[in-house]
Amino acid sequence: MGVERVRALDGVDLDIQRNEFVAIMGASGSGKSTLMNILGCLDRPSSGIYTLNGKPTHKMRAGALARVRNQEIGFIFQSFELLPRQSALKNVMLPLLYSKGMFKARKRAKNALKRVGLETRMSHRPNQLSGGQRQRVAVARALVSEPSILLADEPTGNLDSTTSSEIIALFKQLHDEGQTIIIVTHEEEVASHAQRIVRLSDGKVISDNPTAEDPLHRKFVTAMASTIQTQVQDIDQNHIPKQLDDTSTNNSTKRAHELSQETEALDASSIHTMPGTKPARGVIQP
Amino acid sequence: MILLRLAFQTVFLALSQIFSNKIRSMLTTLGVIIGVASVISVIAALDGLQNNILGEFEKFGAKRVFIDGRRPESMRNKITWREVQLKEIEVTEILKHSESLDLIVPMWYGGYSIAHGKRTIDSVSVIGMWPSWHKIENRQILQGRQFSAIDEDEKRQVCLINEHAIQELDLDRNPVGSYILVSGRRFLIVGVVETIQMSAMFGGGDTSTEVFIPFSTARKLNPNGWLNYAQGELKDPNAAEDAIAEIRFVLRKMRGLEPDEEDTFQIQVMQRFIDQFNSMAGAIKAGAGGIVAISLLVGGIGIMNIMLVSVSERTREIGLRKAVGARPMIILTQFLVEAVVLCLVGAGIGLLIGEGFVLGLRLMPDSPLSKASVPFWAIVLSVGFSAATGIIFGMFPAIKAARLNPIDALRHE
């Protein structure tokens, strides 16, 4: 029948070293989710090799993959995925429940929560925590089994900008402590904190550069810089009487719009959000 | 250690899940609750009834054998009623040749008028028997003595009466040594036996006056009369079939029956009745078990339904658990244990309700089920059945959960 076979990933060749901080970027449909699933041992490539810490995971069965996930991978999801009825501590203990370390789970979970700065919120349930705190709990859960890789899928996608930068700062701190981190994101701002950016489009790696040398990213940084300038102007103008406010708002919106068009034109895989516009909008809105 | 870990991963999780959905779990297990409660009460009631009826049999003694003449259908024209009656010599021969029989006593029944002083009672049962009757019947001698071999040998005009007769005949409180007239002959009362009330089931009913006389005396009383039946006692309740074969052999030989001719007598062993009754009660219980199996089936479907709902409700949770390293087997066990625990909780509640119901049956006034109690095997059986229901009907949802692809599960809305 007419089943269309789609190659979600095609000829991807990646080598990620210990203690790297890598951002994987790409539009939706570019295959970044599939790549993340394979990196996270949730899925196996239909052909090809994925060796994680010397383990040939492409040959493993479901049970063995589950053990690899338990020991080697710490997942952080966009929507946190915390168990709603359980306390933060219980949520963090979850991965240890499925490992040999379950009898030390409580202690280790407490330590992990301390690392993310939530030692005072351990007995709270997810619905008693803010979005940022929830994501911190999720990070603690990912850390608790001391995995080789911290694998974050749009970790800031459900967070506002302030909380996002908190989480990113947490990632940077963990990276400085020696953690290998892979972030899947489409936000340039998030990616800017990584050491290396891997861009995917139509299942292929279209670029793989250190962050500082990534042409798209440099473009973004330049754009950001001017946006921030505009913001600074906005803030200055906010001090002058209200009648003058309209013109300045119009100016800066136009500017932001131009910028975003410029960036999109450069990249076929299209970066949907201009991260820089978010804070700008916050100021601009009447 | 590994087992403890597994228990943590599955049993406690399942328990907390059930606990957090109390009302739903309760409603789900209703089928199992009703099923178990009904099987427990039906079996207990049947058991009580069985004990009651067996108790009646026990009054006769399980080792009791009855032999009497019978005119088979095919010989109605060839043989008279009189000819098939047991003869004393036959009884003696049976006693001599049947190894499985401990005792045998010919029983001679007659109806005569009894008189004492001015009191006369018509057609009282007068029973002629050997002294060994005392060993079979075990009736207590309240006053006086038992029959002895001399009474039999010398055809003495002595009698035993039952306690009931003292009142009926207006005798002394201690009637031993008094005389009564049986069919106009003087009989010396040598003892008083207890009155036994037979249950209606065995044609008893009203208690009546009974007069016992030696067998030989009875023959003298009516030389043309015949003995009604013989009753014997087995050495061992399990030797019923042997005894029947032995008696049959002796009687057929003595009566010169051809191989193609039917028996002109019948042998009934109490144990056989008991066995038959037991097998009937067993069949009823099996039937009740079948009904329960159906209700557990219905309950099981309810459980399966709720487990499927639970799996689809918790798809994301399953996805997360798998992502953080729960192996498919663990997920399977978790859901299976949840279903089994649900069923067992239901079984527990059902047991309590059933026990309560049985208690109610027992406390009913004049209840024939006063001995009703839930047998241990019924508890084991119903709990086992419930657990099996949980496993069977929990398996499908559990497999479904275990097979979920973590990627799809995490994306599930």
Side-chain angles (χ1 to χ4, degrees):
Chain A
M1 303 293 272
V3 182
E4 201 187 342
R5 291 183 72 99
V6 180
R7 281 169 186 260
L9 285 177
D10 193 0
V12 173
D13 192 357
L14 271 182
D15 198 356
I16 295 171
Q17 301 298 323
R18 197 176 293 275
N19 199 19
E20 266 197 277
F21 189 168
V22 184
I24 294 172
M25 302 196 68
S28 49
S30 61
K32 64 180 193 304
S33 297
T34 311
L35 180 59
M36 196 210 73
N37 289 338
I38 289 172
L39 289 178
C41 294
L42 288 166
D43 207 350
R44 274 174 304 180
S46 43
S47 70
I49 294 171
Y50 171 34
T51 311
L52 172 59
N53 257 353
K55 289 173 193 158
T57 63
H58 55 283
K59 289 180 191 163
M60 288 180 170
R61 301 172 60 102
L65 279 179
R67 182 162 299 161
V68 171
R69 287 198 294 272
N70 186 250
Q71 292 167 355
E72 306 279 5
I73 316 275
F75 284 101
I76 295 157
F77 303 97
Q78 178 173 9
S79 44
F80 322 135
E81 303 297 345
L82 299 174
L83 299 180
R85 292 172 194 270
Q86 312 226 321
S87 68
L89 187 66
K90 282 271 168 65
N91 266 293
V92 174
M93 282 163 69
L94 187 68
L96 296 179
L97 202 69
Y98 298 111
S99 78
K100 284 177 186 151
M102 81 170 291
F103 295 106
K104 289 177 192 153
R106 187 168 289 271
K107 201 177 159 197
R108 287 175 67 179
K110 278 182 183 169
N111 282 336
L113 279 166
K114 261 178 214 156
R115 272 179 88 181
V116 300
L118 277 182
E119 57 266 52
T120 54
R121 291 280 186 277
M122 288 197 271
S123 54
H124 289 58
R125 287 187 179 186
N127 59 5
Q128 296 166 318
L129 297 171
S130 71
Q133 286 171 332
R134 287 184 209 180
Q135 195 59 303
R136 276 166 191 270
V137 174
V139 172
R141 184 182 62 197
L143 287 174
V144 75
S145 52
E146 287 158 17
S148 319
I149 305 176
L150 211 58
L151 198 57
D153 182 13
E154 307 280 4
T156 57
N158 280 9
L159 300 174
D160 62 48
S161 56
T162 326
T163 334
S164 292
S165 41
E166 273 175 37
I167 294 293
I168 294 300
L170 179 61
F171 279 162
K172 286 190 85 168
Q173 175 205 326
L174 294 172
H175 174 239
D176 292 343
E177 288 166 20
Q179 184 69 51
T180 313
I181 300 175
I182 301 173
I183 284 187
V184 175
T185 184
H186 56 247
E187 291 179 51
E188 287 289 343
E189 193 181 78
V190 173
S192 67
H193 298 276
Q195 296 173 316
R196 173 180 166 192
I197 297 179
V198 176
R199 289 184 195 274
L200 289 176
S201 178
D202 290 331
K204 294 193 171 75
V205 175
I206 53 167
S207 75
D208 182 357
N209 297 310
T211 308
E213 293 163 26
D214 190 274
L216 263 170
H217 192 73
R218 286 167 74 172
K219 195 81 193 168
F220 161 77
V221 173
T222 325
M224 265 281 278
S226 31
T227 318
I228 288 166
Q229 263 183 357
T230 324
Q231 277 178 39
V232 173
Q233 280 170 18
D234 284 345
I235 292 163
D236 288 343
Q237 283 164 7
N238 275 343
H239 293 292
I240 58 176
K242 274 203 171 169
Q243 285 92 335
L244 294 171
D245 206 38
D246 276 345
T247 43
S248 70
T249 311
N250 282 340
N251 280 341
S252 61
T253 322
K254 211 189 276 172
R255 173 70 188 133
H257 189 66
E258 279 169 16
L259 262 172
S260 81
Q261 275 185 331
E262 211 176 324
T263 324
E264 266 184 80
L266 273 168
D267 179 16
S269 63
S270 92
I271 300 154
H272 289 292
T273 319
M274 268 290 293
T277 55
K278 258 192 188 170
R281 220 189 289 144
V283 180
I284 292 159
Q285 270 173 356
Chain B
M1 204 70 160
I2 289 168
L3 276 179
L4 190 60
R5 204 169 88 201
L6 199 71
F8 265 107
Q9 285 166 355
T10 57
V11 180
F12 293 119
L13 213 56
L15 283 175
S16 68
Q17 195 62 37
I18 290 165
F19 197 71
S20 61
N21 279 321
K22 278 184 278 288
I23 293 175
R24 190 164 96 179
S25 308
M26 220 62 205
L27 288 174
T28 306
T29 53
L30 210 55
V32 176
I33 293 174
I34 292 171
V36 170
S38 52
V39 71
I40 287 295
S41 2
V42 167
I43 286 178
L46 268 174
D47 230 42
L49 200 64
Q50 198 178 358
N51 282 341
N52 200 354
I53 291 171
L54 284 181
E56 298 288 340
F57 279 119
E58 301 281 297
K59 280 187 191 164
F60 276 111
K63 293 197 278 185
R64 202 71 69 82
V65 183
F66 296 96
I67 309 161
D68 62 352
R70 186 177 75 104
R71 227 161 34 133
E73 204 80 49
S74 57
M75 295 185 176
R76 285 279 145 92
N77 305 322
K78 291 186 227 161
I79 203 164
T80 62
W81 185 234
R82 189 173 192 83
E83 279 171 288
V84 299
Q85 294 309 311
L86 278 184
K87 293 164 191 69
E88 197 179 355
I89 176 81
E90 287 173 338
V91 177
T92 320
E93 283 299 299
I94 290 169
L95 184 60
K96 216 185 284 174
H97 291 109
S98 172
E99 305 223 323
S100 310
L101 275 184
D102 203 11
L103 296 165
I104 187 163
V105 175
M107 301 292 286
W108 178 99
Y109 273 75
Y112 293 96
S113 62
I114 309 283
H116 172 255
K118 288 173 186 168
R119 284 270 179 112
T120 304
I121 316 171
D122 287 327
S123 47
V124 169
S125 21
V126 176
I127 301 147
M129 82 301 187
W130 287 349
S132 51
W133 173 84
H134 290 291
K135 289 183 193 154
I136 298 179
E137 274 286 340
N138 285 324
R139 285 228 218 163
Q140 277 185 39
I141 303 296
L142 303 173
Q143 293 170 40
R145 62 166 175 87
Q146 296 185 348
F147 278 151
S148 66
I150 297 172
D151 295 328
E152 177 68 30
D153 291 346
E154 301 194 347
K155 302 172 189 169
R156 282 183 176 167
Q157 302 250 104
V158 292
C159 70
L160 298 172
I161 56 169
N162 67 0
E163 209 185 355
H164 187 74
I166 298 177
Q167 226 182 352
E168 291 278 301
L169 291 168
D170 196 20
L171 286 159
D172 280 351
R173 222 178 259 168
N174 182 2
V176 175
S178 317
Y179 288 92
I180 53 169
L181 292 177
V182 176
S183 186
R185 290 164 209 239
R186 245 161 60 106
F187 276 76
L188 173 68
I189 299 171
V190 293
V192 179
V193 296
E194 62 176 330
T195 310
I196 284 186
Q197 172 150 26
M198 280 298 159
S199 73
M201 209 172 86
F202 298 105
D206 294 336
T207 44
S208 54
T209 304
E210 287 171 307
V211 175
F212 301 92
I213 56 175
F215 188 78
S216 51
T217 318
R219 296 297 297 266
K220 204 171 67 180
L221 205 63
N222 179 7
N224 296 322
W226 58 64
L227 69 101
N228 287 56
Y229 63 91
Q231 57 174 319
E233 195 167 76
L234 297 174
K235 283 182 178 149
D236 180 344
N238 299 321
E241 299 305 319
D242 290 351
I244 289 170
E246 289 160 8
I247 296 166
R248 208 164 156 242
F249 176 77
V250 172
L251 284 179
R252 284 188 73 92
K253 199 176 159 205
M254 290 186 75
R255 293 183 174 198
L257 291 171
E258 299 294 328
D260 59 333
E261 284 179 317
E262 286 184 69
D263 290 347
T264 52
F265 52 87
Q266 58 183 355
I267 307 158
Q268 290 164 327
V269 183
M270 221 55 207
Q271 186 60 44
R272 262 188 151 184
F273 286 126
I274 294 173
D275 290 346
Q276 277 169 6
F277 177 76
N278 275 338
S279 72
M280 189 181 74
I284 297 174
K285 279 181 201 168
I291 293 167
V292 168
I294 291 172
S295 76
L296 279 180
L297 185 82
V298 175
I301 291 169
I303 299 251
M304 177 154 78
N305 187 29
I306 214 69
M307 289 309 295
L308 284 173
V309 169
S310 177
V311 168
S312 72
E313 262 183 8
R314 286 153 67 195
T315 301
R316 283 179 85 98
E317 182 195 321
I318 295 165
L320 173 73
R321 286 181 188 277
K322 289 190 148 193
V324 301
R327 279 173 292 133
M329 265 318 283
I330 294 286
I331 298 286
L332 182 110
T333 319
Q334 180 193 334
F335 279 88
L336 207 53
V337 166
E338 198 172 317
V340 171
V341 170
L342 262 181
C343 282
L344 287 181
V345 167
I349 296 169
L351 276 178
L352 286 180
I353 294 175
E355 289 275 11
F357 191 69
V358 170
L359 194 71
L361 281 182
R362 223 172 359 199
L363 295 179
M364 263 184 344
D366 286 333
S367 167
L369 301 174
S370 55
K371 284 178 196 155
S373 70
V374 182
F376 184 67
W377 63 263
I379 296 175
V380 172
L381 190 81
S382 53
V383 170
F385 245 82
S386 306
T389 305
I391 291 173
I392 292 166
F393 289 96
M395 193 54 97
F396 173 56
I399 288 176
K400 210 178 154 197
R403 284 209 184 139
L404 275 178
N405 178 345
I407 301 166
D408 297 337
L410 276 169
R411 221 176 276 149
H412 184 86
E413 287 307 318

